[in-house]
Amino acid sequence: MLTCRKIAALLLMVISPLAAGNAAATKPGNQSLHSWSVRWQPKRVVNGSPVMLEVSSPQRLESLSGKWLEHDVFFFFDPPSKTWRGIAGVSLETNPGKYVLTLDGKTKSGNEISFQESIPVGKAKYRQIAVTVPKQYTEPSPEQLHEIEQDKTLKQRVLAHVSPERDWSGKFLPPVNAPISDVFGTARVFNGNVQSVHQGLDFGVPAGTPVAALNSGTVLLAQTLFFEGNCVVLDHGQGLLTIYMHLSKIEVKEGEVVKRGQQIALSGGTGRASGPHLHVAVRWQGIYLDPAILLSLRMP
Ligand SMILES: [Zn+2]
């Protein structure tokens, strides 16, 4: 247990907040002093990474949109740095390689300008562990299978939600002040048979610990599910959701607007949990991303 925590702490330290990749280019024949520049965090992007993109354009733009790994990237303008920023992500299933980001901007005079930039994606190293949970979670009864099926339909609807408007602002905050007990991406063998990949971050906290929203947003779901237990899903806009599981008490209602750092629940051990802890997941346009990297991103 202690070793896992040490590994998690080391991983967080490795993801240096100062690390950032970048590339700049001028189109052939373009005599302008200004050119496109695309920077990203973290410096080394891997499968499972959220990616913070920072773009400056040769001309002042009215709007900027992007496309990467078959997802739309929503950008907002940050006046102090005169750059456009947007959050994107790489699914766990994405193979290593270079993936072209396409940028389309519209100038104040209505001209359309575009740019392409290759962003390299590396392969993350994820661990494998064995987990023991009550039998019902690996061998559910017919009634429980029905409940699981109903949850699946609900989750598909809720988790597919994308609102382009940005509700989040500023750095993403940890939900609790506690050590990480399991990192994102660990391959898990439940009771020796059922396999799954850990698609979130676990914090080792006793039941009843106040849980804070990672950032501002709207409550998309606040209810009890079979595997997740008492569960809250927040929509931060731009396709970004955060999910809080195994709670002992939910303190927000669906549709409620919450602020960054606001208490939304108390932690617990409800649903498929080997004991009390907080599981936090980050979902971006249908894919799970590593919350630890999101928490390490520098923000304007
Ligand atoms: Zn977990």
Side-chain angles (χ1 to χ4, degrees):
M1 206 62 180
L2 197 66
T3 325
C4 294
R5 285 180 187 178
K6 274 182 184 167
I7 290 167
L10 276 171
L11 277 172
L12 278 177
M13 283 163 70
V14 168
I15 307 159
S16 160
L18 290 171
N22 74 84
T26 312
K27 275 185 186 171
N30 186 350
Q31 297 305 308
S32 162
L33 282 171
H34 300 284
S35 59
W36 285 92
S37 134
V38 180
R39 293 162 58 83
W40 57 86
Q41 299 177 61
K43 186 175 183 178
R44 183 171 180 265
V45 176
V46 292
N47 54 320
S49 282
V51 181
M52 178 76 173
L53 296 163
E54 198 182 313
V55 175
S56 50
S57 58
Q59 287 161 275
R60 200 181 278 203
L61 299 177
E62 189 85 356
S63 68
L64 180 70
S65 63
K67 196 110 189 161
W68 193 51
L69 290 164
E70 286 157 41
H71 289 275
D72 290 319
V73 184
F74 305 101
F75 284 92
F76 65 96
F77 190 66
D78 175 53
S81 65
K82 291 185 181 144
T83 58
W84 290 84
R85 289 166 188 257
I87 280 193
V90 186
S91 73
L92 270 169
E93 297 75 31
T94 303
N95 291 316
K98 282 191 167 187
Y99 294 92
V100 174
L101 165 73
T102 303
L103 296 167
D104 289 299
K106 204 170 247 177
T107 66
K108 304 247 177 205
S109 53
N111 287 334
E112 283 172 14
I113 57 169
S114 61
F115 185 67
Q116 289 195 329
E117 179 64 64
S118 266
I119 300 176
V121 173
K123 191 168 171 55
K125 280 182 191 145
Y126 295 121
R127 298 180 305 137
Q128 186 169 31
I129 55 159
V131 184
T132 307
V133 291
K135 215 176 167 186
Q136 58 166 333
Y137 294 110
T138 54
E139 293 163 48
S141 68
E143 295 78 37
Q144 288 166 334
L145 278 173
H146 180 68
E147 199 184 327
I148 291 165
E149 209 46 48
Q150 280 184 325
D151 284 1
K152 207 172 145 186
T153 312
L154 174 72
K155 282 190 279 183
Q156 273 170 352
R157 183 175 55 76
V158 168
L159 298 182
H161 188 87
V162 175
S163 50
E165 280 303 302
R166 177 173 66 114
D167 291 329
W168 65 272
S169 67
K171 197 169 164 51
F172 287 79
L173 304 174
V176 288
N177 182 14
I180 289 160
S181 54
D182 192 18
V183 295
F184 175 87
T186 312
R188 294 174 153 196
V189 184
F190 284 101
N191 298 358
N193 45 32
V194 184
Q195 281 212 29
S196 75
V197 171
H198 190 226
Q199 293 176 313
L201 197 60
D202 285 351
F203 292 89
V205 283
T209 306
V211 175
L214 264 65
N215 214 311
S216 306
T218 308
V219 181
L220 201 55
L221 180 139
Q223 57 175 277
T224 308
L225 302 170
F226 186 74
F227 289 117
E228 295 79 0
N230 295 325
C231 179
V232 171
V233 179
L234 299 182
D235 177 10
H236 304 288
Q238 299 188 317
L240 192 71
L241 311 178
T242 54
I243 309 165
Y244 310 77
M245 298 183 192
H246 313 309
L247 307 166
S248 61
K249 192 181 173 215
I250 295 172
E251 296 178 322
V252 286
K253 288 192 173 68
E254 288 172 12
E256 195 176 324
V257 173
V258 297
K259 287 204 168 69
R260 184 173 73 122
Q262 182 183 324
Q263 185 176 326
I264 56 168
L266 297 178
S267 70
T270 57
R272 186 178 67 184
S274 51
H277 72 281
L278 174 67
H279 173 105
V280 171
V282 170
R283 188 111 165 151
W284 179 77
Q285 295 190 25
I287 57 179
Y288 283 105
L289 300 175
D290 187 348
I293 299 178
L294 186 72
L295 293 172
S296 78
L297 296 180
R298 276 180 298 119
M299 291 293 164

